[in-house]
Amino acid sequence: MVNREELENRAFPYKMLLEATATMRELVERILPPKALPSLELGLKGMESVFSDCIEKAGEGLPIVGYHFALPSEFISAFDCVPQCMEAISFMLSAILPNTAEKYYDLINNYGHPYHTCSAQKGTMGMSLDNLTDFDAIITPTAPCDNTCASYPFFELKKKYPLILLDMPYKHDEAAFEYYGNEIRRGLEELGKIIGQEPDYKKLKKHIELENQVGKTMLELFELKKAIPCPVENMASALGSAAQIYMAGRQEKVDFYEGVLKAAKERLKAGVHHGGMEEKIRSIWLYMLTFFDLSLCEWLDRFLGMTILFDVFNYNFTEPIDTTKDLDTMFYGMAKKGMEFPMNRQSTQFYYTFIEDCIRFAKDFSADCFIYTSSIACKQFGAVPQILREALKDEVGIPMLVIDIDVADPRITNIKTVKEKISVFAQTLL
Ligand code: SF4
């Protein structure tokens, strides 16, 4: 007979993450003055709650469903299952358990997977080789990059996990949203057959509505960032990235964003910048933050007076999904959201949209510069920095710093080098 611990261990990454998150939350609560870093306190609390819930469900024997972060997490809530985002495992490990994820990157590299693929998948692939993960099924869009498409078959071929692919079209127009909506529906039905459940669309609707509600709060917070000084601490973007994946469609995400918004409104009223230093530079990080060392966010706030207005996980907004009509309408809205989701919007079409977004953000948010953490894995992005740099210079007159990095592996570019590059760049702006 399978005992509870064995069942829980099927979700072993959640056990690792829970222990690290709980310890970090305790430290934050005991060491930092109250309300010193609201987004960190709220984010850790929310994640601890989500991780505990997932372990509890794994212990009850519910199926474990792996999914790509590019499929909005709340879509999986059509099932009673343990959703586990493949990419978030690697990135969360790298963020809260230093020197842990590297072992798994090395395992999969030594197995023969190309070194220049994305660490987002490589961590979970390496953990699979070490039998630390287990999935009843995996579902992923054929997006946002070739790298994703080339990495996921590993799980099907080597580990024999059933793999469901949702074909995402290249164009982002009405016909494409309709097509992808049908793909999501087909994929959820296929997933249901594999795990022996009917998709519960009423339950899905409830979680989508919760996400719609959070979307309004996120948008309000986004608008507040136009204020000078920005009333939102840099760390809110880091925790916001985690909330996007782990807390989607859940009350924890509502609480997180309402708490961060409340703190931002208080700061706005007081006219102060977080960290006790004057805001000197307003930066937009158009892709990702340095997940392997998020203390960089605080360092920028407190030592350089540099605001991170937002990163790729915190500037993509779509209209609320309409749940009041028929299922076709709901799936159309889900497709639209899915195709405009972080990295999908930027990487699955021509770059005009991305460049236009950047120019508009630079103007609307009074940005002084852009910072682009460029990964060797994102090959589809290889040509963009130069084009974007020229566009920003011509249209807004601001520069962009490119840092070659792996955001979840400090061995490529370490945090000391990152800080040096940003410090030198900042001198040219002041
Ligand atoms: S777009 Fe880049 S960062 Fe995102 S999954 Fe693909 S390779 Fe990784």
Side-chain angles (χ1 to χ4, degrees), residues 260-279:
V260 174
L261 181 65
K262 186 167 170 266
K265 281 183 175 169
E266 283 167 13
R267 236 180 257 138
L268 182 70
K269 207 167 159 197
V272 292
H273 178 241
H274 168 72
M277 194 177 183
E278 178 199 347
E279 179 182 74

Side-chain angles (χ1 to χ4, degrees), residues 143-290:
C145 51
D146 293 352
N147 183 76
T148 292
C149 299
S151 293
Y152 270 70
F154 160 86
F155 294 108
E156 186 178 36
L157 300 173
K158 171 74 179 166
K159 299 298 296 186
K160 310 289 179 218
Y161 301 135
L163 177 65
I164 301 159
L165 297 175
L166 310 177
D167 184 30
M168 188 184 286
Y170 194 69
K171 280 190 171 174
H172 287 221
D173 58 16
E174 274 190 30
F177 296 143
E178 207 169 301
Y179 175 81
Y180 188 56
N182 288 334
E183 277 296 287
I184 298 175
R185 192 167 182 171
R186 176 194 58 75
L188 290 182
E189 275 159 20
E190 209 177 300
L191 174 59
K193 283 188 192 131
I194 294 168
I195 63 174
Q197 294 180 21
E198 282 282 319
D200 182 342
Y201 291 132
K202 276 194 188 145
K203 189 162 164 270
L204 174 62
K205 191 174 146 189
K206 205 181 93 207
H207 288 275
I208 287 176
E209 283 165 359
L210 209 56
E211 230 354 74
N212 285 346
Q213 183 189 333
V214 182
K216 285 186 203 153
T217 316
M218 289 173 72
L219 210 48
E220 202 180 332
L221 185 70
F222 191 62
E223 283 297 309
L224 286 194
K225 293 180 181 181
K226 288 179 180 165
I228 300 175
C230 173
V232 188
E233 70 266 26
N234 291 343
M235 194 60 89
S237 287
L239 273 299
S241 306
Q244 277 282 53
I245 308 298
Y246 283 118
M247 303 180 205
R250 300 180 58 121
Q251 186 59 39
E252 287 90 344
K253 194 169 173 191
V254 178
D255 298 342
F256 171 75
Y257 275 105
E258 284 183 350
V260 174
L261 181 65
K262 186 167 170 266
K265 281 183 175 169
E266 283 167 13
R267 236 180 257 138
L268 182 70
K269 207 167 159 197
V272 292
H273 178 241
H274 168 72
M277 194 177 183
E278 178 199 347
E279 179 182 74
K280 293 184 180 157
I281 302 166
R282 294 165 67 84
S283 64
I284 293 177
W285 290 52
L286 51 116
Y287 234 52
M288 289 180 285
L289 301 175
T290 51

